[in-house]
Every structure is written in C-alpha cells, then in structure tokens.
Coordinates of all heavy atoms in Angstrom, one line a residue:
F30 N -163.3 149.2 -66.5 CA -162.1 149.4 -65.7 C -160.9 148.3 -66.1 O -161.2 147.4 -66.6 CB -162.3 149.3 -64.3 CG -163.1 150.5 -63.8 CD1 -164.5 150.2 -63.4 CD2 -162.7 151.7 -63.7 CE1 -165.3 151.2 -62.8 CE2 -163.4 152.7 -63.3 CZ -164.8 152.6 -62.7
D31 N -159.8 148.8 -65.9 CA -158.6 148.0 -66.2 C -158.6 146.8 -65.3 O -159.0 146.8 -64.2 CB -157.4 148.7 -66.0 CG -156.1 148.2 -66.6 OD1 -156.3 147.2 -67.4 OD2 -155.0 148.6 -66.2
A32 N -158.2 145.6 -66.0 CA -158.3 144.3 -65.3 C -157.5 144.2 -64.1 O -157.9 143.6 -63.1 CB -158.0 143.1 -66.2
K33 N -156.4 144.9 -64.0 CA -155.7 144.9 -62.7 C -156.4 145.5 -61.6 O -156.1 145.2 -60.4 CB -154.3 145.5 -63.0 CG -154.2 147.0 -63.2 CD -152.7 147.4 -63.4 CE -152.7 148.9 -63.6 NZ -151.4 149.3 -63.9
Y34 N -157.2 146.5 -61.9 CA -157.9 147.2 -60.7 C -159.2 146.4 -60.4 O -159.5 146.3 -59.2 CB -158.4 148.5 -61.2 CG -157.2 149.5 -61.5 CD1 -157.0 150.1 -62.7 CD2 -156.2 149.7 -60.5 CE1 -156.0 150.8 -63.0 CE2 -155.1 150.5 -60.8 CZ -155.1 151.1 -62.1 OH -153.9 151.9 -62.3
V35 N -159.7 145.7 -61.4 CA -161.0 145.0 -61.2 C -160.7 143.7 -60.2 O -161.5 143.5 -59.2 CB -161.6 144.6 -62.5 CG1 -162.8 143.5 -62.1 CG2 -162.2 145.6 -63.2
T36 N -159.7 143.1 -60.5 CA -159.4 141.9 -59.6 C -159.0 142.3 -58.2 O -159.4 141.7 -57.3 CB -158.2 141.1 -60.3 OG1 -157.0 141.9 -60.5 CG2 -158.6 140.5 -61.6
V37 N -158.3 143.4 -58.0 CA -158.0 143.8 -56.6 C -159.2 144.3 -56.0 O -159.4 144.0 -54.7 CB -156.9 145.0 -56.6 CG1 -156.8 145.6 -55.3 CG2 -155.5 144.4 -57.2
A38 N -160.0 145.0 -56.6 CA -161.2 145.5 -56.0 C -162.3 144.4 -55.8 O -162.9 144.5 -54.6 CB -162.0 146.5 -56.9
M39 N -162.4 143.5 -56.6 CA -163.3 142.3 -56.2 C -162.7 141.5 -55.1 O -163.5 141.0 -54.3 CB -163.3 141.4 -57.5 CG -164.1 142.0 -58.6 SD -165.9 142.2 -58.3 CE -166.4 140.5 -58.4
S40 N -161.4 141.4 -55.0 CA -160.8 140.5 -53.9 C -161.1 141.3 -52.6 O -161.5 140.7 -51.5 CB -159.3 140.3 -54.1 OG -158.6 139.8 -53.0
A41 N -160.8 142.5 -52.7 CA -161.0 143.4 -51.3 C -162.5 143.4 -50.9 O -162.8 143.2 -49.8 CB -160.5 144.8 -51.6
S42 N -163.3 143.6 -51.9 CA -164.8 143.6 -51.5 C -165.3 142.3 -51.1 O -166.1 142.2 -50.2 CB -165.5 144.2 -52.8 OG -165.5 143.2 -53.8
S43 N -164.8 141.3 -51.7 CA -165.2 139.9 -51.2 C -164.7 139.7 -49.7 O -165.5 139.2 -48.9 CB -164.6 138.8 -52.2 OG -165.0 137.6 -51.7
Q44 N -163.5 140.1 -49.5 CA -163.0 139.9 -48.1 C -163.8 140.7 -47.1 O -164.1 140.2 -46.1 CB -161.5 140.3 -48.0 CG -160.6 139.2 -48.8 CD -159.2 139.7 -48.8 OE1 -158.8 140.7 -48.3 NE2 -158.5 139.0 -49.7
L45 N -164.0 141.9 -47.5 CA -164.8 142.7 -46.6 C -166.3 142.2 -46.4 O -166.8 142.4 -45.3 CB -164.9 144.2 -47.1 CG -165.6 145.2 -46.4 CD1 -165.0 145.6 -45.0 CD2 -165.9 146.6 -47.1
N46 N -166.8 141.7 -47.3 CA -168.2 141.1 -47.4 C -168.1 140.0 -46.3 O -169.0 139.9 -45.4 CB -168.7 140.6 -48.7 CG -170.1 140.2 -48.6 OD1 -170.8 140.6 -47.8 ND2 -170.3 139.3 -49.5
W47 N -167.2 139.1 -46.3 CA -167.0 138.0 -45.4 C -166.8 138.4 -44.0 O -167.4 137.9 -43.1 CB -166.0 137.0 -45.8 CG -166.5 136.0 -46.9 CD1 -166.3 136.2 -48.3 CD2 -167.4 135.0 -46.8 NE1 -166.9 135.1 -48.9 CE2 -167.6 134.3 -48.1 CE3 -168.0 134.4 -45.6 CZ2 -168.3 133.3 -48.2 CZ3 -168.7 133.2 -45.8 CH2 -169.0 132.8 -47.1
V48 N -165.9 139.4 -43.8 CA -165.7 140.0 -42.4 C -166.9 140.6 -41.9 O -167.4 140.3 -40.7 CB -164.5 140.9 -42.6 CG1 -164.5 141.7 -41.2 CG2 -163.2 140.3 -42.9
C49 N -167.6 141.3 -42.8 CA -168.9 142.0 -42.2 C -170.0 140.8 -41.9 O -170.8 140.9 -40.8 CB -169.4 142.9 -43.2 SG -168.4 144.4 -43.3
N50 N -170.0 139.9 -42.7 CA -171.0 138.8 -42.4 C -170.7 138.0 -41.1 O -171.4 137.6 -40.4 CB -171.1 137.8 -43.6 CG -171.8 138.3 -44.7 OD1 -172.7 139.1 -44.6 ND2 -171.4 137.8 -45.8
F51 N -169.3 137.9 -40.9 CA -168.9 137.2 -39.6 C -169.3 138.0 -38.4 O -169.7 137.6 -37.4 CB -167.3 137.0 -39.7 CG -166.8 136.3 -38.5 CD1 -167.0 135.1 -38.3 CD2 -165.9 137.1 -37.6 CE1 -166.4 134.4 -37.2 CE2 -165.4 136.5 -36.5 CZ -165.7 135.2 -36.2
I52 N -169.0 139.4 -38.6 CA -169.4 140.2 -37.5 C -170.9 140.3 -37.2 O -171.3 140.1 -36.0 CB -168.9 141.7 -37.7 CG1 -167.3 141.7 -37.7 CG2 -169.4 142.6 -36.8 CD1 -166.7 143.1 -38.2
V53 N -171.7 140.3 -38.3 CA -173.1 140.3 -38.1 C -173.5 138.8 -37.4 O -174.3 138.9 -36.6 CB -173.9 140.4 -39.4 CG1 -175.4 140.0 -39.2 CG2 -173.7 141.8 -39.9
G54 N -173.1 137.8 -37.8 CA -173.2 136.4 -37.2 C -172.9 136.4 -35.8 O -173.6 135.7 -35.0
L55 N -171.8 137.1 -35.3 CA -171.4 137.2 -34.0 C -172.4 138.0 -33.1 O -172.7 137.7 -31.9 CB -170.0 137.6 -33.8 CG -168.8 136.6 -34.2 CD1 -167.5 137.3 -34.0 CD2 -169.0 135.4 -33.3
M56 N -172.7 139.2 -33.7 CA -173.6 140.1 -32.9 C -174.9 139.8 -32.9 O -175.7 140.1 -31.8 CB -173.4 141.5 -33.6 CG -172.1 142.2 -33.6 SD -172.0 143.7 -34.4 CE -173.8 144.5 -34.1
F57 N -175.5 139.1 -33.8 CA -177.0 138.9 -34.0 C -177.6 138.2 -32.7 O -178.6 138.6 -32.2 CB -177.4 138.2 -35.2 CG -178.8 138.2 -35.4 CD1 -179.5 139.3 -35.9 CD2 -179.6 137.0 -35.0 CE1 -180.9 139.1 -35.9 CE2 -180.9 136.9 -35.2 CZ -181.6 138.0 -35.6
P58 N -176.9 137.0 -32.2 CA -177.6 136.5 -31.0 C -177.8 137.2 -29.9 O -178.8 137.3 -29.2 CB -176.7 135.2 -30.8 CG -176.2 135.0 -32.1 CD -176.0 136.3 -32.7
S59 N -176.6 138.0 -29.6 CA -176.7 138.8 -28.4 C -177.7 140.0 -28.6 O -178.3 140.4 -27.6 CB -175.4 139.3 -28.0 OG -174.8 140.1 -28.9
L60 N -177.7 140.6 -29.7 CA -178.6 141.7 -30.0 C -180.0 141.2 -30.0 O -180.9 141.9 -29.4 CB -178.4 142.3 -31.5 CG -177.2 143.3 -31.6 CD1 -177.0 143.6 -33.1 CD2 -177.5 144.5 -30.7
N61 N -180.3 140.0 -30.4 CA -181.6 139.5 -30.5 C -182.1 139.1 -29.0 O -183.4 139.5 -28.8 CB -181.7 138.2 -31.3 CG -183.1 137.8 -31.7 OD1 -184.1 138.7 -31.7 ND2 -183.4 136.5 -31.9
A62 N -181.2 138.7 -28.2 CA -181.6 138.4 -26.8 C -181.9 139.7 -26.1 O -182.7 139.9 -25.2 CB -180.4 137.8 -26.1
R63 N -181.2 140.8 -26.4 CA -181.3 142.1 -25.6 C -182.5 143.0 -26.3 O -183.3 143.6 -25.6 CB -180.1 143.0 -25.7 CG -179.0 142.3 -24.8 CD -177.8 143.3 -24.7 NE -176.7 142.7 -23.8 CZ -175.8 142.2 -24.3 NH1 -175.5 142.1 -25.5 NH2 -174.8 141.6 -23.3
L64 N -182.6 143.1 -27.6 CA -183.5 143.9 -28.2 C -184.8 143.3 -28.7 O -185.8 144.0 -29.0 CB -182.8 144.7 -29.4 CG -181.6 145.5 -29.1 CD1 -181.1 146.1 -30.3 CD2 -182.0 146.6 -28.1
G65 N -184.8 141.9 -28.8 CA -186.1 141.3 -29.3 C -186.4 141.7 -30.7 O -185.7 141.5 -31.5
P66 N -187.7 142.1 -30.8 CA -188.2 142.6 -32.1 C -187.5 143.8 -32.8 O -187.7 143.9 -33.9 CB -189.7 142.6 -31.9 CG -189.8 143.1 -30.5 CD -188.8 142.3 -29.8
Y67 N -186.8 144.5 -32.0 CA -186.1 145.7 -32.5 C -184.6 145.3 -32.8 O -184.0 146.5 -33.2 CB -186.1 146.8 -31.4 CG -187.6 147.2 -30.9 CD1 -188.0 146.7 -29.7 CD2 -188.4 147.8 -31.8 CE1 -189.4 147.1 -29.3 CE2 -189.6 148.1 -31.4 CZ -190.1 147.7 -30.2 OH -191.4 148.0 -29.8
T68 N -184.3 144.2 -33.0 CA -183.0 143.9 -33.4 C -182.6 144.5 -34.8 O -181.5 144.9 -35.0 CB -182.8 142.3 -33.4 OG1 -183.2 141.8 -32.1 CG2 -181.4 141.9 -33.8
F69 N -183.4 144.3 -35.7 CA -183.1 144.8 -37.0 C -183.2 146.2 -37.3 O -182.8 146.7 -38.2 CB -184.3 144.1 -38.0 CG -184.1 142.7 -38.1 CD1 -184.9 141.7 -37.5 CD2 -183.0 142.1 -38.8 CE1 -184.9 140.5 -37.7 CE2 -182.9 140.8 -39.0 CZ -183.8 139.9 -38.4
G70 N -183.5 147.0 -36.0 CA -183.4 148.4 -36.2 C -182.0 148.9 -36.2 O -181.7 149.8 -36.8
V71 N -181.0 148.1 -35.6 CA -179.6 148.5 -35.5 C -179.3 148.4 -37.0 O -178.4 149.3 -37.5 CB -178.9 147.6 -34.7 CG1 -177.4 147.8 -34.7 CG2 -179.4 147.8 -33.2
F72 N -179.5 147.2 -37.7 CA -179.0 147.1 -39.0 C -179.7 148.0 -39.9 O -179.1 148.5 -41.0 CB -179.3 145.7 -39.4 CG -178.7 144.6 -38.6 CD1 -179.3 143.9 -37.7 CD2 -177.3 144.5 -38.6 CE1 -178.6 142.9 -36.9 CE2 -176.6 143.6 -37.8 CZ -177.4 142.9 -37.0
A73 N -181.0 148.5 -39.7 CA -181.6 149.5 -40.5 C -180.9 150.8 -40.5 O -180.7 151.5 -41.5 CB -183.0 149.7 -40.2
V74 N -180.4 151.2 -39.1 CA -179.6 152.4 -39.0 C -178.4 152.4 -39.8 O -178.1 153.3 -40.5 CB -179.5 152.7 -37.5 CG1 -178.5 153.9 -37.3 CG2 -180.7 153.0 -36.9
V75 N -177.6 151.2 -39.7 CA -176.5 151.2 -40.4 C -176.7 151.2 -42.1 O -176.1 151.8 -42.8 CB -175.7 149.8 -40.1 CG1 -174.5 149.5 -41.1 CG2 -175.2 149.7 -38.8
L76 N -177.7 150.6 -42.5 CA -178.2 150.7 -43.8 C -178.4 152.2 -44.3 O -178.0 152.5 -45.3 CB -179.3 149.7 -44.2 CG -179.9 149.7 -45.6 CD1 -178.8 149.2 -46.6 CD2 -181.1 148.8 -45.6
L77 N -179.2 152.9 -43.5 CA -179.5 154.2 -43.7 C -178.3 155.1 -43.8 O -178.0 156.0 -44.8 CB -180.4 154.7 -42.7 CG -180.8 156.2 -43.0 CD1 -181.7 156.4 -44.1 CD2 -181.7 156.6 -41.7
L78 N -177.4 154.9 -42.9 CA -176.1 155.7 -43.0 C -175.2 155.3 -44.2 O -174.7 156.2 -44.9 CB -175.3 155.4 -41.7 CG -175.9 155.9 -40.4 CD1 -175.0 155.4 -39.2 CD2 -176.1 157.4 -40.3
S79 N -175.3 154.1 -44.6 CA -174.5 153.7 -45.7 C -175.1 154.3 -47.0 O -174.4 154.7 -47.9 CB -174.4 152.2 -45.9 OG -173.8 151.5 -44.9
F80 N -176.5 154.3 -47.1 CA -177.2 155.0 -48.1 C -176.9 156.5 -48.3 O -176.6 157.1 -49.3 CB -178.7 154.7 -48.0 CG -179.5 155.4 -49.1 CD1 -179.6 154.9 -50.4 CD2 -180.2 156.6 -48.8 CE1 -180.2 155.5 -51.4 CE2 -180.8 157.1 -49.8 CZ -181.0 156.6 -51.1
L81 N -176.9 157.1 -47.2 CA -176.6 158.6 -47.1 C -175.3 158.9 -47.6 O -175.0 159.9 -48.3 CB -177.0 159.1 -45.7 CG -178.4 159.2 -45.3 CD1 -178.5 159.6 -43.9 CD2 -179.2 160.0 -46.3
F82 N -174.2 158.1 -47.0 CA -172.9 158.3 -47.5 C -172.7 158.2 -49.0 O -172.1 158.8 -49.7 CB -172.0 157.1 -46.7 CG -170.6 157.1 -47.2 CD1 -169.6 158.0 -47.0 CD2 -170.1 156.2 -48.3 CE1 -168.3 158.0 -47.4 CE2 -168.9 156.1 -48.7 CZ -167.9 157.1 -48.4
T83 N -173.4 157.1 -49.6 CA -173.3 156.8 -51.0 C -173.9 158.0 -51.8 O -173.4 158.5 -52.7 CB -174.1 155.5 -51.3 OG1 -173.4 154.5 -50.7 CG2 -174.0 155.3 -52.9
L84 N -175.1 158.4 -51.2 CA -175.7 159.5 -51.9 C -175.0 160.7 -51.9 O -175.0 161.6 -52.9 CB -177.1 159.6 -51.2 CG -178.2 160.7 -51.8 CD1 -178.6 160.2 -53.3 CD2 -179.3 160.9 -50.9
I85 N -174.4 161.1 -50.8 CA -173.8 162.4 -50.6 C -172.3 162.5 -51.0 O -172.0 163.4 -51.8 CB -173.9 162.8 -49.1 CG1 -175.1 163.0 -48.7 CG2 -173.0 164.1 -48.9 CD1 -175.4 163.1 -47.2
W86 N -171.6 161.5 -50.7 CA -170.1 161.6 -51.1 C -169.6 160.9 -52.3 O -168.5 161.2 -52.8 CB -169.3 161.2 -49.7 CG -169.4 162.2 -48.8 CD1 -168.6 163.4 -48.8 CD2 -170.0 162.2 -47.5 NE1 -169.0 164.1 -47.7 CE2 -169.8 163.4 -46.9 CE3 -170.8 161.4 -46.9 CZ2 -170.3 163.7 -45.6 CZ3 -171.3 161.6 -45.6 CH2 -171.1 162.7 -45.1
L87 N -170.2 159.9 -52.7 CA -169.8 159.2 -54.0 C -170.3 159.8 -55.2 O -171.5 160.1 -55.3 CB -170.1 157.7 -53.8 CG -169.6 156.9 -52.6 CD1 -170.0 155.4 -52.6 CD2 -168.0 157.0 -52.7
P88 N -169.5 159.9 -56.3 CA -169.8 160.4 -57.4 C -170.8 159.6 -58.3 O -170.6 158.3 -58.1 CB -168.5 160.8 -58.3 CG -167.6 159.7 -57.7 CD -167.9 159.4 -56.3
E89 N -171.7 160.2 -59.1 CA -172.4 159.4 -60.1 C -171.5 159.0 -61.2 O -170.8 159.7 -61.8 CB -173.4 160.3 -60.5 CG -174.4 159.6 -61.5 CD -175.1 158.3 -61.1 OE1 -175.8 158.4 -60.0 OE2 -175.1 157.4 -61.7
S90 N -171.7 157.6 -61.5 CA -170.8 157.1 -62.5 C -171.5 156.6 -63.7 O -170.9 156.0 -64.6 CB -169.8 156.0 -62.0 OG -170.6 155.0 -61.4
K91 N -172.9 156.7 -63.7 CA -173.8 156.3 -64.8 C -173.4 157.0 -66.1 O -173.6 158.3 -66.0 CB -175.2 156.3 -64.4 CG -176.2 155.8 -65.6 CD -177.5 155.8 -65.0 CE -178.5 155.2 -66.0 NZ -179.8 155.4 -65.7
G92 N -173.2 156.3 -67.1 CA -172.9 156.9 -68.5 C -171.4 157.6 -68.6 O -171.3 158.2 -69.6
T93 N -170.6 157.3 -67.7 CA -169.3 157.9 -67.8 C -168.3 156.8 -68.0 O -168.5 155.6 -67.6 CB -168.8 158.7 -66.5 OG1 -168.9 157.8 -65.3 CG2 -169.7 159.8 -66.1
T94 N -167.3 157.1 -68.7 CA -166.2 156.0 -69.0 C -165.2 156.0 -67.7 O -165.3 156.9 -66.9 CB -165.4 156.5 -70.2 OG1 -164.8 157.7 -70.0 CG2 -166.3 156.6 -71.4
A95 N -164.4 155.1 -67.6 CA -163.5 154.9 -66.5 C -162.6 156.3 -66.6 O -162.2 156.7 -65.5 CB -162.6 153.7 -66.7
E96 N -162.2 156.7 -67.7 CA -161.3 157.7 -67.9 C -161.9 159.0 -67.4 O -161.3 159.8 -66.7 CB -160.9 158.0 -69.3 CG -159.8 156.9 -69.9 CD -160.6 155.5 -70.2 OE1 -161.9 155.6 -70.5 OE2 -160.0 154.5 -70.3
E97 N -163.2 159.2 -67.7 CA -163.8 160.5 -67.2 C -164.0 160.4 -65.6 O -163.9 161.4 -65.2 CB -165.3 160.5 -67.9 CG -165.3 160.8 -69.4 CD -166.6 160.6 -70.0 OE1 -167.6 160.1 -69.4 OE2 -166.8 161.3 -71.0
L98 N -164.3 159.2 -65.2 CA -164.5 159.1 -63.7 C -163.1 159.3 -63.0 O -163.1 160.0 -61.9 CB -165.0 157.7 -63.2 CG -165.3 157.4 -62.0 CD1 -166.3 158.4 -61.4 CD2 -165.7 156.0 -61.7
E99 N -162.1 158.8 -63.6 CA -160.7 159.0 -63.0 C -160.4 160.4 -63.1 O -159.8 161.1 -62.0 CB -159.7 158.1 -63.8 CG -158.4 158.3 -63.1 CD -157.2 157.4 -64.0 OE1 -157.6 156.8 -65.0 OE2 -156.1 157.3 -63.5
A100 N -160.6 161.1 -64.2 CA -160.4 162.6 -64.2 C -161.1 163.4 -63.3 O -160.6 164.3 -62.7 CB -160.6 163.1 -65.7
E101 N -162.4 163.0 -63.0 CA -163.3 163.8 -62.0 C -162.7 163.6 -60.7 O -162.5 164.6 -59.8 CB -164.6 163.2 -62.1 CG -165.5 163.9 -61.0 CD -167.0 163.4 -61.1 OE1 -167.3 162.8 -62.1 OE2 -167.6 163.5 -60.1
L102 N -162.2 162.3 -60.3 CA -161.7 162.1 -59.0 C -160.4 162.7 -58.8 O -160.0 163.2 -57.7 CB -161.7 160.5 -58.7 CG -163.0 159.9 -58.6 CD1 -162.7 158.3 -58.6 CD2 -163.9 160.3 -57.4
V103 N -159.6 162.8 -59.9 CA -158.3 163.5 -59.8 C -158.5 164.9 -59.5 O -157.8 165.6 -58.7 CB -157.5 163.3 -61.0 CG1 -156.2 164.1 -61.1 CG2 -156.9 161.7 -61.1
K104 N -159.4 165.6 -60.2 CA -159.7 166.9 -60.1 C -160.2 167.3 -58.7 O -159.8 168.3 -58.1 CB -160.7 167.5 -61.2 CG -160.9 168.8 -61.1 CD -161.9 169.2 -62.2 CE -163.3 169.0 -61.8 NZ -164.4 169.5 -62.7
K105 N -161.1 166.4 -58.3 CA -161.7 166.6 -56.8 C -160.5 166.4 -55.8 O -160.7 167.2 -54.8 CB -162.8 165.5 -56.7 CG -163.5 165.7 -55.3 CD -164.5 164.7 -55.2 CE -165.3 164.7 -53.9 NZ -166.3 163.7 -53.7
N106 N -159.7 165.6 -55.9 CA -158.7 165.3 -54.9 C -157.4 165.9 -55.3 O -156.4 165.4 -54.8 CB -158.5 163.8 -54.7 CG -159.9 163.2 -54.1 OD1 -160.4 163.7 -53.3 ND2 -160.3 162.1 -54.7
S107 N -157.4 166.9 -56.0 CA -156.0 167.5 -56.4 C -155.2 168.0 -55.4 O -154.0 168.1 -55.5 CB -156.2 168.6 -57.6 OG -156.9 169.6 -57.1
S108 N -155.7 168.4 -54.3 CA -155.0 169.0 -53.1 C -154.4 167.9 -52.3 O -153.5 168.2 -51.5 CB -156.0 169.8 -52.2 OG -157.0 169.0 -51.7
S109 N -154.9 166.6 -52.5 CA -154.2 165.5 -51.7 C -153.1 165.0 -52.5 O -153.1 165.1 -53.7 CB -155.3 164.4 -51.6 OG -156.3 164.8 -50.8
V110 N -152.0 164.6 -51.8 CA -150.8 164.1 -52.4 C -150.9 162.7 -52.3 O -151.0 162.1 -51.1 CB -149.6 164.6 -51.6 CG1 -148.3 164.1 -52.2 CG2 -149.6 166.1 -51.8
F111 N -150.7 161.9 -53.4 CA -150.7 160.4 -53.5 C -149.4 160.1 -54.1 O -148.9 160.7 -55.1 CB -152.0 159.8 -54.2 CG -153.2 160.1 -53.5 CD1 -154.0 161.1 -53.9 CD2 -153.6 159.3 -52.4 CE1 -155.3 161.3 -53.2 CE2 -154.7 159.6 -51.8 CZ -155.6 160.5 -52.3
H112 N -148.7 159.0 -53.7 CA -147.6 158.5 -54.5 C -148.1 157.4 -55.2 O -148.7 156.3 -54.9 CB -146.5 158.0 -53.4 CG -146.2 159.1 -52.5 ND1 -145.3 160.1 -52.9 CD2 -146.5 159.5 -51.3 CE1 -145.2 161.0 -51.9 NE2 -145.9 160.7 -50.9
N113 N -147.7 157.4 -56.5 CA -148.0 156.3 -57.5 C -147.0 155.2 -57.4 O -145.7 155.3 -57.5 CB -147.8 156.9 -58.9 CG -148.5 155.9 -59.8 OD1 -149.0 154.8 -59.5 ND2 -148.4 156.3 -61.2
V114 N -147.5 154.1 -56.7 CA -146.6 153.0 -56.5 C -146.9 151.8 -57.5 O -148.0 151.4 -57.7 CB -146.8 152.3 -55.1 CG1 -146.0 151.2 -54.9 CG2 -146.5 153.4 -54.0
S115 N -145.9 151.3 -58.2 CA -146.1 150.3 -59.1 C -145.7 148.9 -58.4 O -144.5 148.9 -57.8 CB -145.2 150.5 -60.4 OG -145.4 149.3 -61.2
I116 N -146.5 147.9 -58.5 CA -146.2 146.7 -57.9 C -145.6 145.5 -58.9 O -145.2 144.5 -58.5 CB -147.6 146.0 -57.3 CG1 -148.6 145.8 -58.4 CG2 -148.1 146.8 -56.2 CD1 -149.6 144.9 -57.9
T117 N -145.4 146.0 -60.0 CA -144.7 145.1 -61.1 C -143.2 145.4 -61.0 O -142.7 146.5 -60.7 CB -145.1 145.5 -62.6 OG1 -144.9 146.8 -62.8 CG2 -146.7 145.3 -62.6
A118 N -142.4 144.3 -61.1 CA -141.0 144.4 -61.0 C -140.4 145.0 -62.3 O -140.9 144.7 -63.5 CB -140.4 143.0 -60.8
N119 N -139.4 145.8 -62.2 CA -138.7 146.3 -63.4 C -137.8 145.4 -64.0 O -137.0 144.7 -63.4 CB -137.8 147.6 -63.0 CG -138.8 148.7 -62.5 OD1 -140.0 148.8 -63.0 ND2 -138.3 149.6 -61.7
S120 N -137.9 145.0 -65.3 CA -137.1 144.0 -65.9 C -136.1 144.7 -66.9 O -136.4 145.6 -67.4 CB -138.0 143.2 -66.8 OG -139.0 142.5 -66.0

C-alpha cells in the first residue's frame, strides 16, 4: 500500500489497540469479581463476533495487489457517495 495510507492506518490501529487494552484493564477486575472462572467467556464472545465479522464482511486480500483490492472495494461501494479530500496544501 501507499506509504501515506500505511502510516495513518498504523497510527489509528495502534491508538485503537491502546484504548481497547485500557478498557479491558478497567473491566477485568469487576468482571472477575462477578463472574469468577467465567470471566474469559465475555472476551471469548467478543472474539467470536470479531472473527465472524472478518469472515463474512471483509474481502479476501491474499494474492491481490493494492490496486485490485481498491477496485473491488470501489465496485462494491459504488452506490455510496464519498468525497475525496486531500490533506496536502496546494502550492
């Protein structure tokens, strides 16, 4: 992928990872006190739902180039309207 997208995606995913870890750290003691040995069941359900989302709604990208993946996503979402916004200044 283009470097400008990789850096933004890595930054966003890193921030989301830290926020989720913070939430888990806050929730775990109270869940453990209430659920005891079944505490990890809550996290297992979230993991299962995440897996199903990935399996059903995200496209397979193995063996495809970035251009092919972009074309597939554009074709799939052609009915949606997006505005192309450039963050670079016009010189």
Side-chain angles (χ1 to χ4, degrees):
F30 291 105
D31 194 14
K33 67 180 178 180
Y34 300 121
V35 171
T36 56
V37 172
M39 290 292 290
S40 176
S42 64
S43 178
Q44 291 174 11
L45 180 64
N46 187 27
W47 278 103
V48 168
C49 290
N50 285 334
F51 180 73
I52 292 169
V53 167
L55 287 178
M56 289 177 43
F57 186 79
S59 61
L60 281 175
N61 196 26
R63 289 189 179 102
L64 299 177
Y67 302 106
T68 301
F69 292 102
V71 175
F72 300 110
V74 169
V75 171
L76 178 64
L77 177 65
L78 292 175
S79 299
F80 177 76
L81 291 174
F82 172 79
T83 303
L84 186 67
I85 295 169
W86 284 290
L87 295 182
E89 175 61 49
S90 59
K91 182 177 181 180
T93 61
T94 64
E96 291 79 20
E97 291 171 341
L98 183 59
E99 183 180 4
E101 179 183 340
L102 290 173
V103 166
K104 185 176 83 174
K105 180 179 177 183
N106 298 314
S107 62
S108 62
S109 302
V110 176
F111 296 100
H112 299 283
N113 192 4
V114 177
S115 177
I116 59 172
T117 60
N119 291 334
S120 299

